[in-house]
Amino acid sequence: MKLRLTLAIAIAVASCSPKVKTDVYLDPSKPLEERVQDALSRMTLEEKVAITHAQSKFSSAGVPRLGIPEVWHTDGPHGIRPEVLWDEWDQAGWTNDSCTAFPALVNLAATWDRELSRLYGDCIGQEARYREKDILLGPGINMGRTPLNGRTFEYMGEDPYLAGQLVVPYIQGVQSNGVAACVKHFAMNNQEVRRTSTSSNVDDRTMYEIYLPAFEAAVKEGGAWAIMGSYNLYNNQFNCHNKRLLCDILKGEWGFDGVVVSDWGGCRDDDEAAAYGLDIEMGTWTNGLSGAASDGYSNYHLAKPYLERLRDGRASLEGLDDKASRVLRTIFRTSMGKQHFGSFNSPEHYAAARKIAAEGLVLLKNDGTLPLQIPQGGKLLVVGENAYKMMVVGGGSSNLKTKYEIIPLEALHEAFDGKASVVWERGYVGDTTTDYNKVVTGQDLSESRSAEQLLADAVASASDADCILYIGGLNKSKGQDNEGTDRADIVLPYGQDTLIEALAATGRPMVVVNISGSPVAMPWAPKVNAIVQGWYGGSESGHALVDVLTGVVNPSGKLPFTMPIALADGPLKTERQYPGIKEEGKKWWQEYYDEGVFIGHRWYSSKSIPVQYPFGHGLSYTTFDVSDVSVKRAGDGFKVSAAVKNTGSVPGAEVVQLYVSDVESSVERPVKELKGFEKVYLQPGESRKVQFTLDRRALSFFDAGSHAWVAEPGEFRALVGTSSEDIREEVPFRL
Ligand code: BGC
């Protein structure tokens, strides 16, 4: 803080006085590369090395002698992490660092709305800048390969096109505030089980078609200033210093000029760290430096061991200059770039959080029971722990300390005040923890009743209820939506299926809200009247949910992943595929992506496997017609257009989705792939034309042999609809 102030004053004085000439590197009006070269030319070997590794849990050094400030990193991606102790994960106990908690990224993905993604990025970027953070550790865009992945809630779903489209505006929004978005976790980091000891072995076609495109979009279109290497290995080399991923693809093929930051403790080898594309090493000995009891940071792979290698010629000086340039570039783009001051906890940020949370809620089923219609003086019975449990705290590194969190029950009491009585029954006991890294919710979740009693109490209370509103699902405890652990199955925990069945058997109208960050099985779906997929919605989650339940907001969210009937229906059938196997002579666990490009909806639709709710599905309180699909040649590619009309009686939004099918292909391709979507808001009776552009890449598969995207001539089909399975019109065209 002090250093930055001094710097600002120095620059201000220099620019006011005609006699003082500002050094190039200090002058934000000078071209970036001139500043980098100028600073680099003034730095000693030791100073260059010093900026390539951490100096505390969340900061890396600057160059104090030159007035170049240190770099402050923060999680990300759902809000600005509370300040932590210098070497610890635990929060430091500041009283002015409670942030706006934005909805989980999976909730953002469910909006299918590029502008909301930009708004999210802009708001969180402002919060980061206000808190003087330079690198925001997010967003995460790993693909939903298995629904069991504990971090599914922190990612943007199972489709590379959807994630790529949404990550770009998020990055641009963040970076417009002079904060670097650090896109994570690069790459093929699709599970938490043994995340630091498993090699993802993936063929090139699968990697380029499924696991890399969102990162490629983040770099090439989003202009991301930072990328985080992941914990796992790819082809038996750790990803924080993986030559193929970082040097050949990221910095080579994609021309990334930003900084590669290791995941915390993800750097594992002296020689590789020096040679293979890592620029800032963070979090080594993440347990508070016990791996280096004294002077831990100097013993980082990119500290003393690196210095020794540079001095005796085992590491190259050009390599060091490249790393240092990337760190300097980051500093000149952020804290020493154009001045931004940011803002924190503003009413606008809470309004944005509420809007995004609501727009991402997905109405899975509705027979007209929603929006809720409770008679004056009637009774709404709310059942389930998630109506009450605060969810911002927990889950791993995305854990936040927020200024406030509106729980669903509180929002329901507000909405029905003076109209109907809202009665809550817990129904089951899930997770009673109320703190994480010393961030506490202050709730008391202890319970003395038995599971049988809880169920009996809920069922008894249903007898005179006008409607049962069940709010359950997962939470962020271990083995659920939680960093470091995966789930064991997609079945709801804590006996919730039995409880839901028992409540449905009372015959009262029943709405189920499933709050989770990942897919769950819903065997009771046919027996309830309506189902809403809710998410970890952040500070305003309760308000957002109740806005949709009461019809203040017409739902328009769409599933960013498939909701399967059972785990066994999915593409991962063997231990080789998941969670990996031990092999003779190999040091690390081995995992093989044998399913190739067939994950998520690509798998289910190609194999004609029925699902509970398909990718892209989501209903509204109104209805839409999609018609008049046409395909026209446009230059090298095609233009697809369609008409969408609101045929119901209330305003609402539909996401028109374009899938492409390659009918004649020399390789096996998914029966359809998402290649375009537009979210359209329409008044009753209003219609609009939507247009999509298909370039050659959109028609291509990745050919590993020639290492190129190949669009084969022949017949294709444009499939336009409102989910991956609800295709309204199909039009053939030829390339
Ligand atoms: C997580 C990252 C996070 C980092 C810093 C790691 O354990 O994988 O996503 O940004 O910690 O908290």
Side-chain angles (χ1 to χ4, degrees), residues 193-368:
V193 171
R194 298 194 285 258
R195 63 177 176 170
T196 59
S197 55
T198 301
S199 175
S200 301
N201 304 317
V202 192
D203 65 89
D204 273 14
R205 177 175 168 212
T206 301
M207 185 163 84
Y208 275 83
E209 286 188 27
I210 305 293
Y211 297 101
L212 296 184
F215 286 102
E216 185 183 2
V219 170
K220 289 193 190 163
E221 293 164 48
W225 291 338
I227 292 282
M228 183 188 288
S230 58
Y231 280 133
N232 57 305
L233 307 92
Y234 156 66
N235 285 352
N236 288 292
Q237 188 168 51
F238 278 104
N239 285 358
C240 289
H241 28 76
N242 188 293
K243 181 175 177 305
R244 176 102 200 272
L245 290 179
L246 300 178
C247 305
D248 301 348
I249 297 175
L250 178 69
K251 295 180 176 178
E253 290 175 26
W254 301 345
F256 175 67
D257 73 353
V259 69
V260 172
V261 179
S262 75
D263 200 344
W264 269 233
C267 179
R268 306 282 287 266
D269 183 272
D270 291 341
D271 292 312
E272 291 187 358
Y276 297 148
L278 177 64
D279 304 311
I280 302 183
E281 176 188 0
M282 296 298 297
T284 305
W285 306 300
T286 52
N287 54 356
L289 304 184
S290 64
S294 69
D295 197 15
Y297 295 104
S298 307
N299 289 324
Y300 267 39
H301 302 280
L302 285 184
K304 266 190 207 148
Y306 189 29
L307 210 45
E308 283 162 17
R309 281 164 174 72
L310 287 160
R311 287 190 177 129
D312 67 20
R314 278 178 293 158
S316 84
L317 293 174
E318 295 75 50
L320 174 65
D321 278 353
D322 181 60
K323 289 186 201 301
S325 304
R326 289 170 185 273
V327 180
L328 290 169
R329 209 171 282 136
T330 309
I331 296 172
F332 295 151
R333 282 171 163 159
T334 57
S335 56
M336 287 180 80
K338 187 169 166 262
Q339 286 287 293
H340 296 273
F341 299 99
S343 59
F344 197 49
N345 277 321
S346 69
E348 289 80 6
H349 292 179
Y350 284 89
R354 181 170 180 165
K355 185 167 174 57
I356 295 161
E359 296 274 320
L361 289 165
V362 184
L363 181 63
L364 295 176
K365 169 181 176 170
N366 190 19
D367 66 357

Side-chain angles (χ1 to χ4, degrees), residues 701-718:
F701 61 88
F702 188 82
D703 179 47
S706 59
H707 198 73
W709 291 94
V710 175
E712 284 179 338
E715 187 182 334
F716 287 82
R717 279 196 192 140

Side-chain angles (χ1 to χ4, degrees), residues 379-390 407-410 412-413 421-431 443-447 449 454 457-459 461-462 465 467-472 499:
K379 171 175 166 182
L380 174 64
L381 172 65
V382 183
V383 182
E385 190 173 277
N386 287 354
Y388 182 73
K389 185 176 167 60
M390 293 169 93
I407 55 172
L409 200 55
E410 187 180 346
L412 285 165
H413 279 299
S421 68
V422 175
V423 176
W424 180 58
E425 279 294 339
R426 186 168 183 167
Y428 66 89
V429 177
D431 175 39
Q443 285 189 308
D444 178 6
L445 293 177
S446 59
E447 176 62 63
R449 286 172 290 175
L454 282 161
D457 289 350
V459 170
S461 188
C467 183
I468 306 168
L469 175 61
Y470 184 87
I471 306 183
L499 175 61

